[in-house]
Amino acid sequence: MSDQRELAAQFDQLAALMEITGANGFRVSAARRVARVLQEFDGDLRELAETPGGLEAMDGIGKGSAERIRQWCRTGRLEGRDRIAAEVPDGLIGLLDISGLGPKTVGRLWREAGVTDTATLREAINDGRLASLPRMGAKTIANISDSLDFAAKAAQRTSIGAALPLATQLCAALASVPGTTRIDWAGSLRRGCETIGDIDLLAISGDPTCLIAAFTTQPGVTKVLAAGDTKASVRLNDQIQIDLRVVPEQEFGAAWLYFTGSKEHNVALRHRAQQRNLRLNEYGLFPDDGEESPPQDRGKRPIASQTEQDIYEALELPWRPPELRESRDGITEPPPDLITVEDICRDLHTHTTASDGHLSIRDMAEEAIRRGFDSLAITDHSRSSVQANGLDADRLRSHIEAIREVDASLPEITLLAGSEVDIHADGRLDYDDEILAMLDIVVASPHAALKQSPDDATARLIEAASHPLVHIIGHPTGRMIGRRPGLEPDMRALCAAAAAHGTALEINANPKRLDLCDRHVRIALECGGLISINTDAHQAGHFDFLRYGVLTGRRGTLTAEACINAWPLSRLLEWLDRGS
Ligand code: DGT
Ligand code: CA
Ligand code: CA
Ligand code: ZN
């Protein structure tokens, strides 16, 4: 951020704080005016501050404000802001982000109802304290209450498991609007992030007005946040924000690249362009003619803009899959040949009615056949998972027989008799070796004691990964996104042990888990380890989770070669046999 932007934000905050504390309205608007002037100033602020009378010569900046700006340039502190901030509870400033709450109202809520943050505001609404204030109508309170609910939801990002199906459905509906020739998503969703802030859509249309109208009036829209000629934003089902931009066909690649991000990737590409005397923006890649104004505004033609490939090529860079466009990814290294959903031939972690699944062995097998799998592992829970109706040794023996029977009747698929065996807190497994040895495949997973120390977690998981009869460590950390962090083992040590013993680590594809996460997948691969992507399906629809696991794998640089679910079946069967 430039100096003036940073200082403008501080003046704005000062104005808000003054208003909350009931300061003189004239002084409040003076501070706001200074913020606006600073916001619009596009020279060098420090240079201006050093020029005698320079600041004072600007419209809206008086003698006092000029002195405060000079002081800020010297000390980095805005005189008065810290003092007044100390008088006001920290949480009050946060309330200003809630739509419909201005500083005046926040000040009243504080003084008259003891509100200091979102939690106490919620209390004051619920216990009727707010309703008892003079000039506080039921409608205003209902509005504040709604905004509060939405802010709480917005603070939680949306799972990719909700965002991707929604975007798919939305794009299908909008693609059929007359004039639409292309519609795709960009942003964090295209990069395959595990949670999504908002969904960014990009379209080409011969009739943008018609498309925007269809977009803002579609079923589920609870608020239209903005609607212009070529772009609009809506809130859907009071939950997620969706932005739509309509761009000319010849600019689609530049826009798609820009709005896919990440911001850091965009910055790196712009820098690369500058080094080559080029300018990159959302409209295209242009020659840099030294002029300040944007080239597209001066009718300049881009060197590249229609496709992403054109732009990367003109920058002498390899095209990068969106999953490898984060700040941690460079731009010059050629990306690996990432795994795809089509590469996956099987699921190696699934449940049936024998434990807590919804389908029989046969129904699961038939679903797997429908999805084109060559094999399927049935891995119901072990005895310690009591709440999941885990199998004791006797039940497991007959379950294995039942699996083999169904397998014999279905030539289209190979069923593997397995178990998801609990890893106890101390690293011991929930079945004796003798039982484990009867199974075709053993997935060992932590389910309880997920708050143990990192040292204990490391020892526990390494012991399981080193067990000669274990093939896969299932959801290794046990985290639930947004709900619990799970185990925090020394991931590098765990991955090294797993690699040394030829044990695969799972990417559990359930979008609530995505465990291993992308970062951990990278560590596993750096250690030369193997990955298994499984859905942990408890019902037919859960097989759809596969794509989230694949996206996470791709973000972790996973190739088909390092993923046992993508191997030819004969290679997998050989690998499964290695311990016995
Ligand atoms: P999200 O929505 O928080 O999950 O994350 P994104 O990555 O989808 O971010 P969003 O929706 O704010 O913007 C979409 C893309 O647009 C972002 O990845 C990069 C691009 N973009 C947005 N604002 C800026 C910016 O100020 N500078 C640059 N270089 N790119 C930006
Ligand atoms: Ca976004
Ligand atoms: Ca966005
Ligand atoms: Zn499971």
Side-chain angles (χ1 to χ4, degrees):
M1 214 176 348
S2 66
D3 286 331
Q4 49 265 43
R5 294 275 141 75
E6 197 178 324
L7 184 53
Q10 292 215 14
F11 267 101
D12 263 331
Q13 211 185 56
L14 174 66
L17 285 164
M18 291 198 296
E19 214 169 356
I20 288 174
T21 54
N24 175 314
F26 174 75
R27 290 179 50 218
V28 175
S29 25
R32 286 249 153 73
R33 197 163 50 240
V34 175
R36 211 169 42 243
V37 171
L38 286 171
Q39 191 74 42
E40 281 160 15
F41 174 65
D42 55 15
D44 183 328
L45 183 66
R46 283 170 197 278
E47 205 177 292
L48 185 72
E50 276 163 30
T51 313
L55 286 168
E56 286 86 345
M58 292 181 83
D59 237 359
I61 297 189
K63 225 167 163 279
S65 304
E67 191 40 50
R68 286 164 112 175
I69 295 172
R70 274 190 284 270
Q71 195 182 11
W72 181 84
C73 287
R74 283 195 307 274
T75 65
R77 307 197 86 91
L78 177 59
E79 206 262 315
R81 200 207 71 100
D82 291 2
R83 182 180 42 76
I84 190 165
E87 287 173 30
V88 173
D90 288 344
L92 277 187
I93 288 285
L95 285 181
L96 294 175
D97 292 333
I98 291 171
S99 92
L101 281 186
K104 278 218 182 77
T105 314
V106 169
R108 271 193 74 199
L109 294 174
W110 175 38
R111 284 187 299 275
E112 300 173 31
V115 168
T116 55
D117 53 24
T118 50
T120 49
L121 175 56
R122 172 51 67 202
E123 264 170 48
I125 292 172
N126 292 349
D127 67 18
R129 235 182 310 151
L130 226 53
S132 70
L133 295 185
R135 289 174 293 120
M136 188 64 78
K139 187 127 192 257
T140 310
I141 294 176
N143 274 337
I144 295 177
S145 179
D146 280 351
S147 303
L148 205 53
D149 284 347
F150 181 74
K153 265 190 226 150
Q156 298 166 359
R157 296 165 56 86
T158 305
S159 161
I160 190 169
L164 192 53
L166 179 65
T168 308
Q169 182 199 328
L170 234 56
C171 284
L174 294 173
S176 67
V177 173
T180 312
T181 51
R182 177 161 191 185
I183 180 154
D184 262 303
W185 52 83
S188 51
L189 184 59
R190 185 166 175 237
R191 301 199 311 278
C193 299
E194 58 196 34
T195 64
I196 308 300
D198 68 357
I199 297 178
D200 306 282
L201 301 180
L202 211 59
I204 304 172
S205 168
D207 189 351
T209 314
C210 178
L211 182 57
I212 297 279
F215 176 69
T216 54
T217 58
Q218 67 190 309
V221 170
T222 44
K223 190 167 181 127
V224 178
L225 301 158
D229 296 338
T230 58
K231 60 182 181 184
S233 284
V234 300
R235 192 183 287 163
L236 212 65
N237 305 324
D238 261 339
Q239 259 165 11
I240 188 163
Q241 182 178 325
I242 313 193
D243 297 343
L244 170 68
R245 288 182 183 76
V246 187
V247 301
E249 184 177 0
Q250 67 275 11
E251 288 172 14
F252 189 85
W256 209 20
L257 181 60
Y258 180 86
F259 291 109
T260 295
S262 64
K263 284 193 179 86
E264 293 79 6
H265 184 66
N266 291 350
V267 169
L269 292 183
R270 271 207 304 276
H271 186 67
R272 174 88 170 182
Q274 278 160 12
Q275 288 172 331
R276 284 167 168 63
N277 289 320
L278 300 170
R279 272 171 73 164
L280 178 63
N281 59 30
E282 62 188 275
Y283 307 99
L285 180 67
F286 298 87
D288 192 352
D289 49 16
E291 297 282 330
E292 260 205 33
S293 61
Q296 70 277 4
D297 293 354
R298 290 179 277 114
K300 295 287 173 202
R301 287 180 58 86
I303 297 168
S305 63
Q306 183 144 12
T307 70
E308 288 189 343
Q309 281 82 353
D310 292 346
I311 296 170
Y312 280 103
E313 200 177 311
L315 291 171
E316 298 174 90
L317 292 172
W319 178 83
R320 301 194 78 72
E323 296 89 344
L324 299 182
R325 298 186 193 173
E326 300 299 333
S327 54
R328 63 188 169 208
D329 301 298
I331 57 171
T332 50
E333 281 291 297
D337 192 8
L338 298 181
I339 191 161
T340 66
V341 167
E342 292 70 37
D343 289 330
I344 303 287
C345 307
R346 63 193 68 94
D347 201 316
L348 297 174
H349 176 175
T350 68
H351 298 268
T352 70
T353 46
S355 62
D356 58 350
H358 294 193
L359 297 182
S360 65
I361 300 168
R362 180 171 296 275
D363 289 345
M364 287 296 279
E366 282 171 355
E367 186 61 32
I369 294 170
R370 257 194 295 283
R371 291 178 188 251
F373 288 164
D374 63 10
S375 48
L376 176 76
I378 302 288
T379 57
D380 280 296
H381 288 284
S382 63
R383 59 184 169 188
S384 285
S385 289
V386 178
Q387 73 297 342
N389 189 25
L391 283 67
D392 60 25
D394 281 343
R395 283 180 66 212
L396 179 62
R397 273 194 205 93
S398 37
H399 193 44
I400 294 173
E401 257 173 54
I403 295 168
R404 300 219 195 286
E405 235 165 75
V406 178
D407 181 40
S409 73
L410 292 172
E412 306 95 313
I413 196 162
T414 301
L415 291 187
L416 300 168
S419 167
E420 182 181 18
V421 54
D422 219 37
I423 308 173
H424 293 235
D426 59 4
R428 278 181 309 117
L429 299 180
D430 202 23
Y431 291 128
D432 294 338
D433 287 1
E434 177 201 349
I435 306 279
L436 294 176
M438 302 188 315
L439 296 161
D440 301 326
I441 182 167
V442 174
V443 179
S445 313
H447 288 107
L450 297 175
K451 288 184 177 163
Q452 67 186 166
S453 74
D455 284 351
D456 289 347
T458 308
R460 172 191 194 175
L461 293 170
I462 287 182
E463 177 153 345
S466 312
H467 193 294
L469 295 171
V470 169
H471 298 99
I472 300 170
I473 302 294
H475 48 73
T477 74
R479 76 155 173 175
M480 288 286 189
I481 295 172
R483 269 191 40 213
R484 68 172 187 226
L487 300 173
E488 290 168 350
D490 175 341
M491 210 24 98
R492 206 162 280 279
L494 170 61
C495 292
H501 290 89
T503 303
L505 297 179
E506 180 178 76
I507 298 175
N508 191 292
N510 186 319
K512 292 184 179 144
R513 291 189 182 271
L514 294 176
D515 175 16
L516 302 176
C517 67
D518 52 7
R519 228 165 3 93
H520 293 160
V521 173
R522 286 178 187 233
I523 297 175
L525 296 175
E526 281 162 19
C527 293
L530 294 171
I531 295 290
S532 181
I533 304 181
N534 301 308
T535 65
D536 200 350
H538 285 65
Q539 57 195 61
H542 288 178
F543 284 107
D544 290 339
F545 293 160
L546 177 59
R547 54 188 163 164
Y548 311 120
V550 170
L551 281 168
T552 298
R554 290 168 63 88
R555 291 175 57 80
T557 73
L558 182 63
T559 60
E561 173 59 27
C563 179
I564 61 173
N565 306 67
W567 288 354
L569 183 55
S570 55
R571 180 173 175 195
L572 178 86
L573 295 177
E574 236 170 74
W575 176 80
L576 288 175
D577 266 348
R578 79 205 190 285
S580 49

